[in-house]
Amino acid sequence: MTLRSHADDAVALPPRARARAASRLRVSRRTVVLVLYILFLLLPIYWMVNMSLKTNVEILSGLTLFPRDPTLQNYITIFTDPSWYSGYINSIKYVVLNTVISLTVALPAAYAFSRYRFLGDKHMFFWLLTNKMAPPAVFLLPFFQLYSTFGLFDTPLAVALAHCLFNVPLAVWILEGFMSGVPREIDETAYMDGYSFPRFFATIFVPLIRAGIGVTAFFCFMFSWVELLLARTLTAVEAKPIAATMTRTVSAAGMDWGLLAAAGVLTIIPGALVIWFVRNYIAKGFALGRV
Amino acid sequence: MDKPWNNRAWFLVIPVFVLVAFSAIIPLMTVVNYSVQDIFGPGQAFWVGTEWFEKVLHDERLHDALVRQILFSLAVLAIEIPLGILVALSMPADKGWRTSLVLVLLALPLLIPWNVVGTIWQIFGRADIGLGGAAIRALGIDYNYTGNPRDAWLTVLVMDVWHWTSLVALLCYAGLRAIPPAYYQAAKIDGASRWAVFRHIELPKMRGVLIIAVLLRFMDSFMIYTEPFVLTGGGPGNATTFLSQYLTRMAVGQFDLGVAAAFSLIYFLIVLLFSYVFYTFITTVGTGDRS
């Protein structure tokens, strides 16, 4: 290939040097696009944070870019009023429950899909996918009746099981992507060394894909955390999630904007805290392990 | 990739099968049951055949919701895909802290609970207390998303762009990183223009992730419920009532179970069709058959 030597040059150049070598105009235009887009992303979030630190009097008296008189009163209200903070506890309960269930059942299944061919494997995989793509609204009514029949209505377990509908397929897909990256020779060597399947899986394979498990757990957590429709329908009082608490307050309590904003800020924090750890896998997770 | 054939792998898949069957097949059968019967109470069901389906297919308001839904999904794709590509092309290429920071900032909207996304824009868009609404008012445009159907529709659209463009950008970014630097170097030697580099190198290499992005965005926007529910409640009038909203209103609000069930099945079949296209594509990519 005639391009070979040039290609090697390009590989040898560090990326920063290449960026510098690019025309100055283009670099600045790129930065402008990126900065504008990130501003567009952050402005609404900033506005909510800003509002959560204001009193309702200040919110309604006019626009101020900074809270003139910053107050934590809205946050204090949420942390001291059981009808508010129990919403967070309920949400965390079913989200954690769902993540544990999803990972437990998805791990062996993903292994099966990544390592073997078996009767109906492709159909099974497609069927799992259809559940990820099913509109939750379709399942609203039957879920309501099903869980009422089993006496699960208004428990965290009901929501956790309902969220399995889309989180289990998601977990299988992402894990399968990570597992396929592990060479099969490792399995074969372990079996030859006399490892039984459960022992091999628990002591060798799971540690090997712990990054994948972490990413999968993050995505299960996230998709269960952001869902409102099923969580709201399957609970009434005892297991009411924070999302439902927020919608109720919007319509009934005469628009307590500061409190609403504070509740919103608190729901963003869990995701914002852990996102740093999965930043390099975000695209892979959203593309169901296919990137 | 010739995986060994082993039907015992089914044992590993059984937990997933049982769990998803419990949360998918039983509810789906309930829907089928409702869609062909008129049910007054336990033991009081009458076979009505295709009556509900005919009713759904002739429902004017449902047609309106479907048209709105399709328009919305197309608008979402038309804006988010090009914007996502543009943002991905503008992102820094090195592996430093700036790239990490950009990745985390971009992913932030994806991790916010969907009802809070609605809340953020509810606050941001209000002309009296919101920065965005006030800014548009200051430009001399009579903007009011709670009263004006056009403004409401546009606000929902902008909200969706804000919420999901990052997903397209992250996927495209992952696709772009997979291009060997040698390609760019070769293009530079050939004196290729920026457009030619994009058209003949970057776009073909992003084909896989772009199709995933298009299908994910199409399906998710086709199922949108929570964000407009919080922001506009489907109004003013029916301006932002999309399919899921209409379905939920029918099933939970008016308790038209038969019609809602028939509607659910048709809705589900539409999504299933797209899932099939998606699956066919994704398995082709998965086996490394990229052209």
Side-chain angles (χ1 to χ4, degrees):
Chain A
M1 269 176 68
T2 51
L3 284 176
R4 186 55 193 257
S5 61
H6 303 301
D8 287 345
D9 285 348
V11 174
L13 271 176
R16 270 163 206 258
R18 265 192 293 129
R20 264 202 303 274
S23 84
R24 228 181 132 171
L25 184 72
R26 204 179 83 211
V27 169
S28 64
R29 201 174 56 199
R30 284 174 130 194
T31 316
V32 167
V33 169
L34 201 60
V35 167
L36 280 181
Y37 181 69
I38 288 178
L39 266 182
F40 167 64
L41 290 188
L42 292 186
L43 260 185
I45 298 180
Y46 167 73
W47 196 249
M48 186 168 74
V49 176
N50 176 21
M51 201 174 254
S52 74
L53 296 170
K54 293 179 183 175
T55 59
N56 273 320
V57 179
E58 188 182 345
I59 291 169
L60 295 173
S61 66
L63 295 175
T64 41
L65 286 178
F66 304 99
R68 263 177 318 202
D69 187 15
T71 168
L72 287 174
Q73 190 50 48
N74 295 317
Y75 291 96
I76 292 168
T77 308
I78 290 175
F79 282 118
T80 51
D81 180 352
S83 73
W84 273 105
Y85 70 72
S86 70
Y88 286 98
I89 295 171
N90 290 334
S91 288
I92 288 170
K93 265 190 211 157
Y94 71 72
V95 167
V96 170
L97 205 54
N98 170 272
T99 308
V100 172
I101 297 174
S102 301
L103 276 179
T104 314
V105 298
L107 269 170
Y111 182 80
F113 283 120
S114 85
R115 288 298 192 259
Y116 299 111
R117 298 219 52 219
F118 46 92
L119 189 67
D121 54 351
K122 293 217 162 116
H123 299 99
M124 180 78 192
F125 216 50
F126 174 62
W127 176 63
L128 283 178
L129 175 70
T130 60
N131 292 309
K132 172 84 183 83
M133 301 306 169
V138 169
F139 288 96
L140 206 60
L141 200 64
F143 271 171
F144 181 77
Q145 295 190 318
L146 184 69
Y147 293 124
S148 301
T149 312
F150 281 89
L152 290 172
F153 179 74
D154 204 14
T155 62
L157 186 61
V159 185
L161 283 176
H163 284 180
C164 281
L165 179 72
F166 47 83
N167 265 355
V168 167
L170 177 86
V172 173
W173 277 64
I174 300 179
L175 282 173
E176 198 265 344
F178 276 94
M179 287 179 182
S180 298
V182 178
R184 208 172 329 133
E185 285 74 20
I186 291 178
D187 310 28
E188 282 155 12
T189 316
Y191 292 140
M192 249 181 268
D193 287 349
Y195 275 82
S196 64
F197 171 73
R199 190 157 155 248
F200 156 73
F201 198 74
T203 60
I204 298 180
F205 198 72
V206 166
L208 269 179
I209 53 155
R210 56 180 187 275
I213 295 176
V215 173
T216 313
F218 171 78
F219 272 89
C220 287
F221 188 93
M222 189 196 106
F223 276 107
S224 184
W225 182 253
V226 299
E227 206 276 343
L228 168 75
L229 181 56
L230 292 174
R232 196 174 59 110
T233 314
L234 295 177
T235 56
V237 187
E238 290 299 310
K240 199 181 188 47
I242 180 61
T245 315
M246 284 179 70
T247 51
R248 181 204 57 189
T249 311
V250 171
S251 53
M255 294 294 180
D256 192 341
W257 293 109
L259 200 57
L260 185 69
V265 171
L266 288 176
T267 63
I268 299 178
I269 288 175
L273 281 183
V274 277
I275 189 177
W276 182 261
F277 300 105
V278 294
R279 62 187 182 280
N280 293 323
Y281 297 106
I282 291 170
K284 195 175 169 96
F286 273 109
L288 298 166
R290 300 289 114 174
V291 173
Chain B
M1 281 280 282
D2 44 343
K3 300 181 216 168
W5 184 278
N6 187 348
N7 271 330
R8 278 188 306 167
W10 255 105
F11 287 115
L12 300 174
V13 185
I14 281 177
V16 164
F17 183 78
V18 171
L19 184 66
V20 181
F22 178 73
S23 52
I25 294 183
I26 298 175
L28 202 61
M29 283 304 112
T30 320
V31 177
V32 173
N33 213 0
Y34 273 119
S35 72
V36 291
Q37 298 184 74
D38 199 347
I39 295 174
F40 293 108
Q44 282 185 291
F46 299 95
W47 173 263
V48 294
T50 58
E51 188 188 318
W52 299 132
F53 287 93
E54 281 161 32
K55 204 171 163 190
V56 167
L57 292 176
H58 293 112
D59 185 345
E60 285 292 328
R61 281 181 306 162
L62 180 63
H63 291 176
D64 292 347
L66 182 65
V67 170
R68 262 194 300 275
Q69 181 72 71
I70 292 173
L71 278 179
F72 178 74
S73 289
L74 290 180
V76 159
L77 287 181
I79 298 174
E80 289 180 13
I81 298 294
L83 185 61
I85 294 176
L86 183 69
V87 172
L89 289 173
S90 307
M91 283 170 72
D94 55 6
K95 281 210 160 152
W97 63 271
R98 274 183 313 160
T99 313
S100 296
L101 184 68
V102 169
L103 280 176
V104 169
L105 287 179
L106 279 191
L108 203 53
L110 302 171
L111 306 172
I112 298 176
W114 296 347
N115 68 306
V116 179
V117 171
T119 305
I120 288 176
W121 281 87
Q122 192 182 29
I123 294 172
F124 192 68
R126 297 228 350 168
D128 52 347
I129 59 171
L131 186 62
I136 297 174
R137 276 280 173 86
L139 292 174
I141 301 163
D142 186 23
Y143 168 85
N144 177 4
Y145 74 81
T146 51
N148 184 330
R150 193 201 54 196
D151 292 349
W153 206 85
L154 286 177
T155 310
V156 173
L157 185 62
V158 172
M159 174 173 69
D160 199 82
V161 168
W162 178 85
H163 192 182
W164 288 110
T165 304
S166 295
L167 172 64
V168 182
L170 289 171
L171 289 176
C172 290
Y173 180 72
L176 283 176
R177 290 287 73 74
I179 302 176
Y183 281 52
Y184 291 108
Q185 196 68 16
K188 208 171 175 190
I189 290 158
D190 290 346
S193 65
R194 182 73 193 89
W195 170 252
V197 170
F198 175 71
R199 173 69 191 80
H200 295 291
I201 297 177
E202 290 170 337
L203 201 56
K205 281 285 171 189
M206 282 196 291
R207 180 174 155 267
V209 282
L210 266 182
I211 295 185
I212 292 177
V214 168
L215 284 158
L216 278 181
R217 281 316 302 133
F218 182 83
M219 280 178 291
D220 283 345
S221 65
F222 214 75
M223 301 190 265
I224 188 169
Y225 172 81
T226 309
E227 300 97 317
F229 170 77
V230 174
L231 182 68
T232 61
N238 280 325
T240 52
T241 302
F242 299 114
L243 285 180
S244 277
Q245 222 118 23
Y246 192 64
L247 175 58
T248 316
R249 204 180 290 168
M250 236 189 317
V252 182
Q254 304 161 359
F255 241 64
D256 276 338
L257 301 188
V259 188
F263 178 15
S264 296
L265 283 181
I266 296 173
Y267 192 9
F268 187 51
L269 285 178
I270 296 175
V271 180
L272 198 68
L273 186 72
F274 286 105
S275 303
Y276 185 70
V277 177
F278 185 40
Y279 178 74
T280 315
F281 171 76
I282 223 171
T283 44
T284 327
V285 167
T287 53
D289 183 25
R290 296 178 207 230
S291 54

